[in-house]
């Protein structure tokens, strides 16, 4: 029973265009959401996060949107660059857990074509 | 470096052998987590430490898995009598605050474990 789902295993985008990665969750107790980027043979790198009290958080080319009623979040990358090609993981945590352990989606592989 | 350091990067063991994986978190980070990542999937939580206390081990798949962080810094994940299904990447992460706080976790590059 996956509590965090990324339904698109892969996404291909032209350089300079917008990349939109989507994530759905089922646990209404989740209150903190994060996006991580992963290159091969490396660990996940933190990109951006959002608390459930907000619906948008922006950091440079990266913006995360949260729709609590739909239990949906998305990551927008604009403009996309070839160096953005990686696997992106959505993750969520529940404040009622002692350590805020992360529950991850299965990842979306983004390919940005020059 | 200033990041989370894991060793070894790669470990090959025969079925039935014991293995030990090491994690050196970011200096001063209170919280330390272990995750297991199977091929093509997202990481899955194994266990959590706040300083030296193991506060959550609900994700450990069996009693063959054991983790410790005796001095509240370096942590070791030990797997006894390894099985082929233990083959995965084991990721360690740390964060600066403990308890109920929203801080991102920072990950090491993982140990890729292959059981023959």
């Amino acid at each position: 029973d996956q509590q965090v789902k990324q339904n698109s295993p892969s996404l291909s985008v032209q350089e300079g265009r917008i990349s939109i990665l989507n994530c759905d969750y089922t646990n209404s107790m989740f209150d903190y959401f994060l996006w991580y980027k992963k290159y091969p043979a490396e660990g996940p790198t933190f990109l951006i996060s959002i608390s459930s009290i907000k619906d948008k958080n922006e950091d440079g080319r990266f913006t995360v949107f949260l729709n609590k009623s739909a239990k949906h979040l998305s990551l927008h990358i604009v403009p996309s660059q070839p160096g953005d090609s990686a696997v992106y993981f959505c993750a969520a945590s529940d404040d009622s857990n002692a350590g805020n352990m992360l529950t991850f989606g299965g990842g979306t592989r983004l390919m940005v074509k020059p | 470096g200033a990041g989370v350091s894991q060793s070894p990067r790669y470990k090959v063991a025969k079925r039935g052998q014991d293995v030990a994986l090491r994690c050196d978190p970011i200096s001063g980070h209170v919280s330390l987590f272990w995750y297991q990542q199977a091929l093509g999937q997202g990481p899955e939580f194994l266990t959590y430490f706040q300083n030296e206390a193991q506060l959550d081990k609900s994700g450990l798949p069996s009693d063959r898995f054991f983790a410790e962080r005796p001095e509240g810094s370096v942590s070791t994940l030990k797997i006894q009598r390894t099985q082929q299904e233990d083959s995965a990447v084991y990721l360690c992460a740390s964060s600066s605050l403990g308890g109920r706080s929203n801080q991102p976790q920072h990950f090491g590059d993982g140990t890729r474990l292959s059981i023959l």
Side-chain angles (χ1 to χ4, degrees):
Chain A
D1 179 29
Q2 272 191 298
Q3 297 187 67
V4 178
K5 288 186 180 179
Q6 295 176 253
N7 290 317
S8 297
S10 65
L11 174 68
S12 183
V13 169
Q14 202 69 35
E15 181 180 7
R17 306 294 290 267
I18 185 171
S19 296
I20 300 176
L21 297 101
N22 294 302
C23 178
D24 297 293
Y25 62 95
T26 57
N27 187 344
S28 57
M29 296 296 291
F30 287 146
D31 60 358
Y32 183 54
F33 304 88
L34 309 89
W35 284 94
Y36 283 84
K37 171 181 178 180
K38 188 182 181 305
Y39 293 120
E42 294 183 11
T45 301
F46 170 71
L47 266 180
I48 192 169
S49 63
I50 188 167
S51 166
S52 59
I53 61 173
K54 295 186 175 182
D55 55 17
K56 176 183 174 181
N57 188 26
E58 190 172 351
D59 183 1
R61 296 186 297 114
F62 302 92
T63 302
V64 55
F65 295 92
L66 175 62
N67 183 333
K68 283 182 62 179
S69 60
K71 294 191 178 68
H72 177 84
L73 67 155
S74 61
L75 175 67
H76 293 209
I77 307 172
V78 55
S80 302
Q81 299 173 355
D84 296 329
S85 298
V87 177
Y88 289 77
F89 289 99
C90 164
S93 71
D94 167 8
D95 192 42
S96 68
N97 285 322
N100 291 309
M101 52 169 267
L102 296 177
T103 301
F104 283 85
T108 296
R109 181 176 302 278
L110 174 65
M111 292 162 284
V112 180
K113 296 179 289 187
Chain B
V4 177
S5 178
Q6 292 188 246
S7 62
R9 288 296 314 277
Y10 303 92
K11 177 68 179 177
V12 179
K14 292 183 179 179
R15 187 165 60 93
Q17 288 183 331
D18 298 348
V19 298
L21 313 179
R22 175 189 168 106
C23 172
D24 203 335
I26 293 172
S27 178
H29 275 195
V30 170
S31 296
L32 185 145
F33 304 80
W34 284 97
Y35 292 84
Q36 180 190 61
Q37 184 175 20
L39 191 63
Q41 298 182 21
E44 292 192 357
F45 170 77
L46 292 176
T47 187
Y48 159 67
F49 290 86
Q50 183 173 325
N51 296 308
E52 70 279 1
Q54 188 175 20
L55 298 186
D56 188 343
K57 53 182 182 179
S58 62
L60 296 176
S62 78
D63 58 7
R64 296 185 297 103
F65 287 70
F66 171 77
E68 60 184 2
R69 193 186 185 197
E71 298 179 358
S73 178
V74 171
S75 176
T76 303
L77 176 67
K78 298 178 180 178
I79 309 173
Q80 297 176 323
R81 305 181 303 281
T82 52
Q83 303 293 317
Q84 283 192 320
E85 61 263 28
D86 300 336
S87 296
V89 175
Y90 290 85
L91 292 164
C92 177
S94 69
S95 67
S96 57
L97 297 176
R100 292 172 171 74
S101 61
N102 288 334
Q103 287 290 320
Q105 295 176 25
H106 299 276
F107 284 80
D109 286 338
T111 295
R112 180 176 295 278
L113 176 64
S114 298
I115 305 300
L116 305 179

